[in-house]
Amino acid sequence: MKTIDELLAEGVAGKRVFVRADLNVPLAGTTITDDGRIRAVQPTVARLAEAGARVIVASHLGRPKGAPDPAFSLAPAAARLGELLGADVAFATDTVGESARAVVAGLADGRVAVLENLRFNPGETSKDDAERGAFADDLAGLADLYVGDGFGAVHRKHASVYDLPARLPHAAGYLIATEVGVLKKLTDDVKRPYAVVLGGAKVSDKLGVIDHLLEKADRILIGGGMVFTFLKAQGHETGSSLLQEDQIPAVQEYLRRADERGVEFVLPVDVLVAPEFPDLRTKAPAHPATVAADAIPAGQMGLDIGPETGRLYASKLADAETVFWNGPMGVFEHPDYAEGTKAVAQALVDSPGFSVVGGGDSAAAVRILGFDEKAFGHISTGGGASLEYLEGKTLPGLAALED
């Protein structure tokens, strides 16, 4: 895989460089609530601009239906990128149309432009190779070189991620190089004990990574909504908690394999429960109760791991040399259900080992809950991409960057 430094050594001054970034940031209206992904790509964009390239940044945001939708415009992300760069950033109001062509044609050396949301064009996500390829052809017409730096999208076989690099000389940006280097520490020559913390809503989202980590990890700690399927698989009542009954046989098999292989599977000993899901808009007090994890009353739903579990999980991470965490422990967006996620985050901060926060809601949580990002070994920008890499899958966007 060619690096951006090699590309820079060959010279990029005056050349149009297409940077596939991941600017898929959360928005409240037009306000960015977490700019982590924009900050992550800024070093690549800044270095190319400093070298005199005409930088064309492109990304998706959200899941529009292949047509323009103001709710998913990248205009706020373009403005924030300009603030981080300390320079004006031009913005094209389409992807490959009149505005994009005019904006790119008007770029001077060392200047930056952002195209509108790539998913406003149906060719970006099409499963039809010809339609996707036609869109990639149009994108290629805007540029001379390609730099892949949108790690959060490399697991997608999309036009700008997979097809476009085949049409232009290409290299990996700084973010992708960093992400891959970190993930190799979780798969090759891992320092032990190796502990994995998995949370989030659905166990079905994590089946592949659990299957793979049973061959790698020493301890697997489970939290979030997915934990109730594990508790049910052990024969415990889970009240009205989130439950995927169709996954119980798979979970039982994982528990059996873990026991067989000597992998420590750690489940909560207590949980916070309430009769209903909290109001995340008003953050009104929820008044949860703490109950034993194996004694959740009927009509009550589990919404966070309990304080005793938080202490238990911290003890299981205290001596870990390598820790990977993906998925919050509860409904962290509400203050009454944030303590479990806080406890895990603090345990990673306190752990002497190398800690990786695996993107997605986990990455958002550590920032929203006020943790210093520098206190962690690495905070990934790609939740789904990180998980698929750990599953051992071939990621289309990385394969496309291979020479």
Side-chain angles (χ1 to χ4, degrees):
M1 188 180 294
K2 191 173 189 175
T3 68
I4 187 174
D5 286 331
E6 292 175 273
L7 197 69
L8 289 163
E10 295 170 359
V12 296
K15 294 184 177 179
R16 301 168 301 164
V17 182
F18 187 104
V19 177
R20 201 334 178 157
D22 179 9
L23 307 180
N24 185 27
V25 292
L27 294 172
T30 58
T31 301
I32 297 169
T33 58
D34 179 7
D35 68 352
R37 284 175 168 162
I38 304 174
R39 287 186 286 110
V41 78
Q42 187 263 349
T44 290
V45 175
R47 184 67 188 90
L48 287 166
E50 289 166 6
R54 303 177 184 188
V55 187
I56 305 154
V57 181
S59 175
H60 69 288
L61 191 152
R63 296 179 182 274
K65 306 297 184 182
D69 183 338
F72 297 106
S73 175
L74 277 173
R80 180 58 181 147
L81 179 61
E83 292 172 356
L84 293 170
L85 293 170
D88 290 336
V89 168
F91 182 66
T93 57
D94 56 27
T95 55
V96 292
E98 183 178 337
S99 178
R101 292 192 297 270
V103 165
V104 170
L107 273 181
D109 293 359
R111 308 303 288 181
V112 179
V114 173
L115 304 182
E116 185 53 284
N117 193 335
L118 291 166
R119 291 186 182 174
F120 286 0
N121 190 305
E124 170 68 0
T125 59
S126 176
K127 297 190 185 306
D128 181 83
D129 290 349
E131 184 180 16
R132 218 175 49 245
F135 184 48
D137 287 339
D138 289 340
L139 291 172
L142 298 174
D144 305 303
L145 303 169
Y146 176 95
V147 172
D149 215 29
F151 181 74
V154 294
H155 59 314
R156 305 296 188 191
K157 193 175 182 181
H158 291 170
S160 65
V161 176
Y162 178 75
D163 301 273
L164 184 54
R167 289 158 167 78
L168 295 170
H170 51 263
Y174 293 126
L175 174 60
I176 279 187
T178 298
E179 294 273 14
V180 172
V182 165
L183 289 171
K184 284 183 177 178
K185 292 183 179 181
L186 302 179
T187 54
D188 305 332
D189 195 26
V190 180
K191 291 186 178 180
R192 299 184 179 281
Y194 177 19
V196 175
V197 187
L198 296 176
K202 295 181 178 180
V203 68
S204 56
D205 293 340
K206 303 291 196 305
L207 289 177
V209 76
I210 293 172
D211 184 71
H212 197 70
L213 287 171
L214 282 172
E215 309 295 323
K216 301 279 187 181
D218 299 301
R219 299 172 195 148
I220 300 177
L221 287 58
I222 302 293
M226 62 187 286
V227 79
F228 302 105
T229 303
F230 280 86
L231 292 172
K232 190 73 171 180
Q234 291 185 324
H236 305 308
E237 290 303 319
T238 57
S240 58
S241 305
L242 181 65
L243 184 65
Q244 288 187 284
E245 293 204 45
D246 61 320
Q247 300 300 329
I248 288 175
V251 166
Q252 290 172 329
E253 174 62 14
Y254 288 147
L255 292 170
R256 184 196 66 76
R257 282 176 53 197
D259 183 62
E260 186 179 83
R261 297 187 61 81
V263 176
E264 187 178 6
F265 233 107
V266 189
L267 298 175
V269 293
D270 61 344
V271 295
L272 298 187
V273 299
E276 58 188 14
F277 198 83
D279 188 330
L280 299 183
R281 184 179 55 85
T282 65
K283 308 290 175 69
H287 307 296
T290 303
V291 302
D294 60 358
I296 298 174
Q300 297 284 316
M301 64 175 63
L303 295 161
D304 193 14
I305 60 172
E308 187 177 345
T309 301
R311 291 188 287 271
L312 170 66
Y313 284 14
S315 72
K316 296 294 182 182
L317 299 174
D319 67 339
E321 289 294 328
T322 305
V323 183
F324 174 71
W325 171 33
N326 181 277
M329 296 294 98
V331 187
F332 73 92
E333 300 92 341
H334 192 287
D336 288 349
Y337 302 107
E339 292 304 315
T341 301
K342 281 184 184 176
V344 167
Q346 188 62 54
L348 264 67
V349 170
D350 295 339
S351 172
F354 180 65
S355 59
V356 178
V357 180
D361 286 341
S362 310
V366 299
R367 289 189 277 263
I368 290 170
L369 298 176
F371 286 89
D372 182 355
E373 293 182 46
K374 296 185 177 66
F376 302 89
H378 179 69
I379 297 180
S380 179
T381 57
S386 295
L387 290 175
E388 291 198 17
Y389 189 99
L390 293 181
E391 288 178 40
K393 290 185 177 179
T394 297
L395 306 188
L398 296 185
L401 294 176
E402 298 289 347
D403 292 328

